[in-house]
Amino acid sequence: MDDGEQLVGIGDIAFQLKITRQAVDYWTRKDAKFPEPLQVINAPAGSGAKGTRVWRKREVDAWIVEHYRRRKQ
């Protein structure tokens, strides 16, 4: 599987950027330019659980280059 097909979650993104999962979670929910999750997994039907959101790695990497890196400059 190439990088374009790899999936990442909040923990993976946080590890990559060396920041907290809470910061990543905030961006995924509040930044309109952050990619939409590809899918929500591990959310049992009718349980009210939110599940785990996953994204395509290539889409998150593009957001990092375009938006996150600019914030740090």
Side-chain angles (χ1 to χ4, degrees), residues 10 25 29 39-44 47-54:
I10 287 177
D25 183 59
R29 295 177 191 281
Q39 190 171 13
V40 178
I41 58 174
N42 299 329
S47 71
K50 293 180 184 176
T52 302
R53 295 169 295 150
V54 293

Side-chain angles (χ1 to χ4, degrees), residues 24 26 28 40 71:
V24 175
Y26 178 81
T28 65
V40 178
R71 290 178 187 187

Side-chain angles (χ1 to χ4, degrees), residues 45-61:
S47 71
K50 293 180 184 176
T52 302
R53 295 169 295 150
V54 293
W55 294 263
R56 285 187 179 95
K57 185 177 185 323
R58 67 182 159 143
E59 292 175 0
V60 171
D61 288 346

Side-chain angles (χ1 to χ4, degrees), residues 18-48:
K18 297 177 179 61
I19 60 174
T20 66
R21 293 170 54 101
Q22 291 83 359
V24 175
D25 183 59
Y26 178 81
W27 289 333
T28 65
R29 295 177 191 281
K30 300 298 181 184
D31 187 331
K33 297 193 188 286
F34 198 89
E36 288 293 318
L38 177 65
Q39 190 171 13
V40 178
I41 58 174
N42 299 329
S47 71

